Amino acid sequence: MAKSSAAMPVNPHDKNRVTWKKDWARNKTVYFVFIPVAIYIIITHYLPMFGVVMAFQNFSLAKGVFGSRFVGFDNFVELFTGDAFLNAFKNTAIMSAFTLVIGFLPGIVYALMLSEVRNKKFKRTVQMISYLPNFVAPVVVTNLVKLFLGNDGPLTALLTTLGLPQQNWLANADPPVFWLIHTFMGIWQSLGFGSIMLMSAIAGINGDLMEAAAIDGATCMQRIMKITIPCIAPILGMSFVLNVAVSFRTIGGNVLLLYMPQTYSVADCLYTYTHRMAFGSAPDMGLSAASNLFQSVLGTVLLIGGNILAGKINSDARLF
Amino acid sequence: MKRILSWLLLLCLLAGMLALTGCSKDDEKPQEAEQNEQTAGSPEEARTFSYLLDKGESTEYYLNYEDNPVMRYVAQYKTFEDATGTSQSVKMSFQIPPSGKELDNINLLISTQSYPDVMSMTYYGGSLAELYECGSILDLGPYIDQYMPNYKAWLEKNPNVITTTPVGDKNMQLSLVGIRANVTPYDLFAGWCYRRDWIVRYGVQPDTFFDPMKDTEPRENPRAGQQFTGCYTLDVNGNAIESAVLEENVNGDSWVDDVVFPSGHSDPIYISDWEWMFGIFEKALADQGITDGYVLSMYYPGFNQNGDLVSSFGGGCPWIYYDAENQEAKFGGNTDNFKAYLQCMNAWWNKGWLDKQFAERSGDMYYRIDDVAVRSGKVGFWQGSVSTLGSRIANESLPFTKGAVAYGAANPINDIYGGDEQKLKIPDTFYGAANYGGGVVVTDKAKDKDLAILFRWLDYFYSDEGAMLMNYGLNAQQQAQLQDPTYLKYGVDAAYTLVEKDGKQMVKFHDLLKVNDGNIRTAMNGSRVFGLSNPLEIDYGDTQTYIDHCIGQWSLYEPVGFMALYPFNNQLPAETVQSNNKVYSRVINEYMYVQVPNFIKGKKNFEADWDTYCKDLNKRGYQKTVDAMNEAIQKTLGN
């Protein structure tokens, strides 16, 4: 009996068969290896969560978390009744939508196009070039954008020759100028690097399928539409869910370096608002913490919602 | 084998982690250890202190402020009595915040309790009372009485100056303020500047003269339409020259001309004078083919909350100012005066006189004016420091700066915009220098050290000898003794000499230090620490008349409305300081910075949008701050 049991493959997720003790005995090396990781996550990700207390305090730098006065939901009342926060929320939603709708597609198209290139040398060179912007520091990228779109920048000069008025485009508060600049800057930065996952997914598609379709007379476009895209759909779905979830947290890193009071109406987002409240000329840590907590809760809701939505479209696309 | 490998891997991982933890512990040790070990009690440690300054010097001069010539001299040659009555030297180390991050730095130090023994509070927006209540800073009163005779003497001589902070029912000395023995116009760091040479080169005599505060009707100008004349009278070496057209190797401070403004004065007094001048600057730009220049470089984002220029339109400033006549604080961001100011700016914007990007220069330094364009000679009028006056912007590689002569101008008197209440009123609120300001605190980190020697060291800079060192640097004898490498590098044998002028003893700087270009003078003296400023007057030699005239224009009127000149802020309770910061952020940073440029650029209409703007401002709670300030004013006046 014991012999046959040992020979049977054990499903580690089968709770009826494997107790925690047995699992520990069998995999304790793995658990030992995981301990430092768990400690790291607890220390750097969970313990700081205690800081959310600040969102419910009239926080004073001198008094700290334990000495500051508890004010309940006052910071949230101030947050939701102030027009700056609502404007930031609106802009975050719009910029997230722009990034998801306009920013998601070029990566797919780029990966599909590159997967059709047969000359390996050319393919690798193009890939390498497209990865580079991802390794350029955001502060350098934003400075380049400032130079190119400034009053005398080369892109401004190009747009002026096309009949648009000469101006510092980053100071233009008319929608959707800033939103487009932000979206295209993001595309330029992440196009190559973001396509790595898709490229590997495409590379994993069984070559026989493509060969058979080609023999049957399918055109290149038909092969992409009928084979490639369905095959990478789970990856696309998962990537989309992740993008939705993190969009409310990531929109703003570049904006912080690009925006100015003149463009608050279109550029100020939750990230920049939170940062400004914490590190502006008159810091209000309580309000900043409230804004940040709201951002986190919203991100979590979006992650769960996006995951459910992705699962409904394609069950393999669910992240959890 | 697999199992052995796994265990080996695990051991490596753990060893790696321990090593990393060990490294990080070592890295953190100096800070932690310094804090704790300093309190340990060896005599030398008890005399070792740290001091947070507002600003350091360029690395061109030295890397650390401990290498400042004055600090080196004090460390090597001055001794102070310690708690046991023995004369000892003090080892002071200095911390300098990263430029532009002063506020973040001090907030970080306070929130992490990693502050030094002595700390300048210039950039701290919070409440001193709160820091005291938390035990972070000491009550300096007893120490001032016991160890600071020079500082105490000044306080006793100036009983009207309030340097205390209310904590509960008591008024406490929580900070040591910087004191100015003489408040001179030179303490103004900046003012309006304009290209006087452009008026001579591109302007002509006005047709008539009319001073709206003196004349009843215009007077004919007998020289109407004639060219102005102007010339330099000295070369760079101070030798007299005759040629009026010589533009190279000249001393811009020696410029003389016959410029007369439409008000009949040789300096611009009224807004109408400014507009006449702007017309000439427009022509100057066109004639020189400067397409990327403009007439007026405005401060970002179109107004200055201190009140400069805004105050010209009936007084006050766009934030809180002191109405000296009625002895009360007022908010000026929604007044008719500010509206008249904005209407004037809007008119100038429509005429194309303003820097088109005035509201976009959020990252530039110094009121975010366009310093690059100014120093390229492409701007006619700007707010700048002494370093842009005379021919100081002249640069051989920049053609439009050739022969540049910049004069100082006073805040103007409005005679055009708004109603009677806004016209012909003397400006009363703008940046001004007070006879005391700023402050340093001594923190709880120093309480177990030798406080007697620390306070005596701090007091030294309020003494006559210490103040001379701090303000003017090393004299010949001191430099001969110290042989300071920075002085040697720049060939300065003495930073100053004492001269007798008009029966007074005055300071005459070494030629290299006459103008504080690149902060060279500041690098040679010790003025980054707090103490007694301006113990003597300064003789500026051949540039005296010129500089006096320019700075005289900047200080033509008294900034009686400028709140920072009064001690009211020190009297505010902790909660009020926090509340005021919030209101300031909501009113100025979050609202006016966004809306005001729209009025100037014409994107908002004065008829249709002004009332909404005022209502929105009211909602942001400035009245609470005004009331708090008035309460402090009444309390102060009552005292």
Side-chain angles (χ1 to χ4, degrees):
Chain A
M1 189 67 191
K3 201 178 174 185
S4 72
S5 159
M8 270 177 68
V10 179
N11 180 358
H13 300 290
D14 190 342
K15 285 177 187 170
N16 295 328
R17 289 193 175 193
V18 183
T19 62
W20 193 88
K21 274 185 184 171
K22 279 183 186 169
D23 186 45
W24 168 256
R26 194 184 303 272
N27 298 310
K28 62 182 168 214
T29 313
V30 177
Y31 284 116
F32 273 125
V33 171
F34 181 70
I35 284 170
V37 179
I39 292 170
Y40 169 79
I41 290 173
I42 288 166
I43 291 174
T44 61
H45 288 73
Y46 284 87
L47 288 184
M49 280 189 192
F50 174 67
V52 297
V53 170
M54 284 162 63
F56 304 94
Q57 288 180 325
N58 183 10
F59 184 77
S60 153
L61 286 171
K63 290 179 179 169
V65 171
F66 296 105
S68 296
R69 192 161 52 88
F70 186 76
V71 292
F73 286 92
D74 282 6
N75 286 324
F76 290 93
V77 172
E78 191 180 335
L79 193 69
F80 295 125
T81 51
D83 45 7
F85 176 78
L86 296 177
N87 178 58
F89 181 66
K90 177 201 78 180
N91 288 332
T92 312
I94 293 172
M95 281 192 269
S96 299
F98 268 64
T99 306
L100 288 172
V101 176
I102 304 175
F104 195 62
L105 202 62
I108 303 167
V109 174
Y110 174 77
L112 290 171
M113 282 167 64
L114 213 57
S115 67
E116 293 300 317
V117 175
R118 296 287 165 254
N119 184 328
K120 278 189 181 173
K121 212 171 181 181
F122 177 75
K123 191 174 176 175
R124 279 181 192 157
T125 311
V126 171
Q127 266 182 304
M128 178 73 85
I129 290 168
S130 66
Y131 294 163
L132 286 179
N134 187 67
F135 300 106
V136 179
V139 71
V140 176
V141 175
T142 47
N143 271 323
L144 283 173
V145 172
K146 280 179 185 172
L147 279 173
F148 275 65
L149 288 167
N151 205 43
D152 305 313
L155 267 177
T156 303
L158 180 72
L159 294 169
T160 308
T161 56
L162 294 173
L164 292 163
Q166 185 180 0
Q167 59 183 298
N168 176 1
W169 285 95
L170 287 168
N172 188 318
D174 298 330
V177 175
F178 188 87
W179 301 331
L180 287 173
I181 292 171
H182 175 262
T183 306
F184 285 112
M185 190 177 88
I187 291 172
W188 181 78
Q189 258 184 301
S190 60
L191 182 76
F193 200 75
S195 66
I196 291 178
M197 198 165 61
L198 294 176
M199 290 287 291
S200 57
I202 292 169
I205 296 171
N206 190 344
D208 294 347
L209 283 173
M210 292 291 185
E211 208 175 312
I215 291 166
D216 289 345
T219 61
C220 180
M221 189 54 77
Q222 282 171 326
R223 289 200 301 270
I224 288 172
M225 298 305 288
K226 303 286 182 188
I227 300 171
T228 312
I229 290 180
C231 285
I232 63 169
I235 298 285
L236 285 179
M238 192 182 73
S239 173
F240 189 78
V241 170
L242 279 174
N243 279 344
V244 169
V246 299
S247 62
F248 263 65
R249 290 200 70 79
T250 53
I251 296 290
N254 288 335
V255 176
L256 193 65
L257 299 165
L258 289 176
Y259 84 147
M260 57 184 89
Q262 270 294 277
T263 51
Y264 277 179
S265 61
V266 288
D268 194 19
C269 51
L270 292 177
Y271 183 99
T272 52
Y273 177 83
T274 305
H275 186 274
R276 200 166 64 248
M277 288 302 116
F279 303 109
S281 58
D284 186 342
M285 291 291 183
L287 194 64
S288 177
S291 169
N292 200 24
L293 180 60
F294 173 77
Q295 223 177 321
S296 301
V297 170
L298 198 67
T300 310
V301 170
L302 282 173
L303 180 70
I304 295 167
N307 191 53
I308 292 169
L309 189 71
K312 286 201 188 300
I313 297 166
N314 182 341
S315 59
D316 291 335
R318 282 181 75 140
L319 200 60
F320 51 88
Chain B
M1 186 65 187
K2 235 180 183 180
R3 186 172 285 259
I4 293 168
L5 268 176
S6 301
W7 279 107
L8 273 176
L9 190 70
L10 181 66
L11 280 173
C12 286
L13 196 73
L14 286 171
M17 274 192 67
L18 283 173
L20 280 173
T21 321
C23 285
S24 68
K25 255 190 178 172
D26 284 348
D27 287 346
E28 282 165 13
K29 197 176 176 184
Q31 271 188 347
E32 279 292 315
E34 208 173 24
Q35 300 298 351
N36 297 329
E37 285 167 17
Q38 275 170 0
T39 61
S42 86
E44 201 179 329
E45 282 164 0
R47 298 193 315 267
T48 303
F49 302 96
S50 50
Y51 190 143
L52 173 74
L53 303 174
D54 292 331
K55 197 174 161 49
E57 303 302 342
S58 160
T59 50
E60 189 186 324
Y61 305 116
Y62 35 80
L63 291 177
N64 305 305
Y65 206 73
E66 290 84 351
D67 296 327
N68 168 278
V70 171
M71 294 307 126
R72 287 187 67 235
Y73 182 81
V74 173
Q76 287 188 33
Y77 297 106
K78 298 306 300 178
T79 54
F80 305 89
E81 213 175 287
D82 68 9
T84 62
T86 318
S87 282
Q88 301 277 6
S89 60
V90 170
K91 192 179 173 194
M92 186 65 77
S93 63
F94 295 93
Q95 297 180 7
I96 312 288
S99 182
K101 296 281 176 197
E102 293 85 356
L103 177 65
D104 289 354
N105 182 66
I106 199 162
N107 284 345
L108 185 71
L109 291 177
I110 289 170
S111 60
T112 56
Q113 305 270 305
S114 54
Y115 40 75
D117 303 309
V118 183
M119 189 159 55
S120 165
M121 301 304 273
T122 310
Y123 289 97
Y124 185 59
S127 153
L128 293 185
E130 190 179 69
L131 285 175
Y132 174 74
E133 282 166 350
C134 295
S136 302
I137 61 173
L138 308 183
D139 172 17
L140 310 184
Y143 303 104
I144 293 170
D145 283 343
Q146 209 174 342
Y147 306 120
M148 299 191 73
N150 295 298
Y151 185 73
K152 192 180 168 189
W154 185 85
L155 289 184
E156 284 169 354
K157 257 193 242 169
N158 297 273
N160 55 329
V161 170
I162 296 168
T163 56
T164 55
T165 305
V167 183
D169 297 334
K170 289 182 188 167
N171 282 332
M172 288 184 167
Q173 295 280 0
L174 297 182
S175 66
L176 302 172
V177 296
I179 300 167
R180 283 195 178 95
N182 300 295
V183 182
T184 69
Y186 293 94
D187 295 314
L188 294 172
F189 71 99
W192 296 107
C193 307
Y194 65 97
R195 286 290 293 268
R196 184 85 169 190
D197 59 312
W198 279 8
I199 300 179
V200 172
R201 294 189 177 107
Y202 301 97
V204 292
Q205 292 270 356
D207 294 340
T208 55
F209 295 130
F210 179 69
D211 183 331
M213 289 175 92
K214 287 181 185 162
D215 298 333
T216 49
E217 56 185 47
R219 293 172 280 127
E220 288 297 318
N221 177 2
R223 295 179 61 200
Q226 288 180 21
Q227 283 281 326
F228 290 113
T229 58
C231 65
Y232 310 94
T233 56
L234 297 172
D235 68 13
V236 281
N237 299 316
N239 302 315
I241 49 173
E242 288 175 4
S243 171
V245 292
L246 185 66
E247 289 175 345
E248 281 163 16
N249 303 319
V250 290
N251 180 345
D253 295 349
S254 72
W255 174 268
V256 289
D257 60 38
D258 60 356
V259 168
V260 188
F261 286 84
S263 61
H265 300 276
S266 57
D267 292 296
I269 300 293
Y270 297 99
I271 286 285
S272 54
D273 287 333
W274 281 39
E275 293 198 345
W276 171 81
M277 176 164 47
F278 291 169
I280 293 170
F281 291 165
E282 212 177 343
K283 183 175 182 298
L285 290 166
D287 286 4
Q288 292 177 92
I290 301 173
T291 52
D292 54 348
Y294 41 84
V295 170
L296 173 60
S297 175
M298 279 294 291
Y299 24 57
Y300 164 89
F303 68 97
N304 182 328
Q305 56 261 40
N306 287 343
D308 301 59
L309 194 54
V310 177
S311 189
S312 299
F313 297 78
C317 74
W319 176 232
I320 312 283
Y321 66 97
Y322 183 56
D323 179 351
E325 206 176 314
N326 297 309
Q327 296 189 332
E328 62 175 330
K330 286 182 175 170
F331 175 72
N334 56 357
T335 57
D336 286 344
N337 296 358
F338 190 52
K339 188 180 177 184
Y341 163 80
L342 292 177
Q343 284 168 331
C344 173
M345 291 303 113
N346 175 243
W348 291 359
W349 172 265
N350 291 335
K351 286 177 181 168
W353 288 343
L354 296 187
D355 168 14
K356 287 261 178 292
Q357 291 178 265
F358 75 88
E360 298 160 24
R361 303 194 184 280
S362 54
D364 293 352
M365 292 297 287
Y366 178 67
Y367 281 110
R368 288 95 176 230
I369 63 164
D370 186 5
D371 201 44
V372 174
V374 167
R375 290 183 187 274
S376 305
K378 296 174 180 178
V379 179
F381 207 101
W382 65 91
Q383 196 183 46
S385 63
V386 177
S387 71
T388 59
L389 288 175
S391 53
R392 290 179 182 86
I393 63 165
N395 183 326
E396 277 177 27
S397 61
L398 299 166
F400 301 119
T401 63
K402 194 177 177 187
V405 177
Y407 264 36
N411 274 302
I413 298 169
N414 170 42
D415 57 340
I416 297 177
Y417 300 93
D420 288 347
E421 287 298 310
Q422 285 74 49
K423 284 182 188 166
L424 306 183
K425 298 279 161 65
I426 302 293
D428 61 5
T429 310
F430 45 90
Y431 178 80
N435 61 349
Y436 70 102
V440 287
V441 294
V442 177
T443 71
D444 59 329
K445 305 283 181 193
K447 72 181 175 192
D448 294 329
K449 296 185 186 179
D450 191 333
L451 287 172
I453 204 167
L454 171 65
F455 280 96
R456 284 184 174 121
W457 186 93
L458 291 168
D459 189 54
Y460 175 67
F461 294 102
Y462 292 93
S463 69
D464 291 342
E465 183 192 316
M468 288 299 287
L469 264 173
M470 185 194 106
N471 284 270
Y472 310 121
L474 305 174
N475 61 27
Q477 195 189 348
Q478 289 160 338
Q479 167 57 7
Q481 201 178 1
L482 183 67
Q483 291 295 307
D484 180 75
T486 315
Y487 274 52
L488 293 173
K489 182 180 166 188
Y490 288 90
V492 177
D493 52 352
Y496 69 95
T497 48
L498 292 174
V499 292
E500 286 285 322
K501 202 172 178 184
D502 305 329
K504 281 190 289 190
Q505 198 173 43
M506 295 175 90
V507 163
K508 189 167 187 181
F509 282 117
H510 185 280
D511 282 347
L512 194 69
L513 311 181
K514 260 187 192 174
V515 176
N516 193 18
D517 268 348
N519 281 333
I520 187 163
R521 193 198 300 162
T522 323
M524 301 286 184
N525 64 35
S527 57
R528 301 293 183 196
V529 298
F530 276 71
L532 178 74
S533 301
N534 301 349
L536 294 177
E537 287 181 36
I538 296 164
D539 173 17
Y540 284 95
D542 53 9
T543 64
Q544 184 80 47
T545 314
Y546 173 79
I547 297 275
D548 272 353
H549 172 259
C550 288
I551 293 184
Q553 286 297 303
W554 291 352
S555 59
L556 196 59
Y557 309 115
E558 245 192 290
V560 290
F562 185 48
M563 292 293 278
L565 297 183
Y566 301 99
F568 312 137
N569 276 310
N570 283 339
Q571 297 298 300
L572 296 176
E575 290 276 316
T576 313
V577 171
Q578 205 177 13
S579 159
N580 288 356
N581 286 345
K582 263 191 183 187
V583 174
Y584 178 85
S585 170
R586 274 191 228 148
V587 171
I588 300 282
N589 295 349
E590 297 293 317
Y591 192 69
M592 289 178 70
Y593 271 24
V594 178
Q595 299 301 329
V596 166
N598 290 333
F599 282 107
I600 296 175
K601 290 179 174 181
K603 288 182 180 174
K604 292 238 171 192
N605 186 296
F606 288 98
E607 299 301 317
D609 301 315
W610 183 255
D611 288 344
T612 314
Y613 161 82
C614 293
K615 277 180 196 161
D616 281 349
L617 274 180
N618 291 344
K619 279 195 286 185
R620 285 162 195 269
Y622 65 77
Q623 194 55 45
K624 204 174 159 188
T625 298
V626 173
D627 292 343
M629 292 307 298
N630 278 324
E631 203 177 307
I633 288 168
Q634 292 313 316
K635 197 177 158 195
T636 311
L637 293 176
N639 287 340

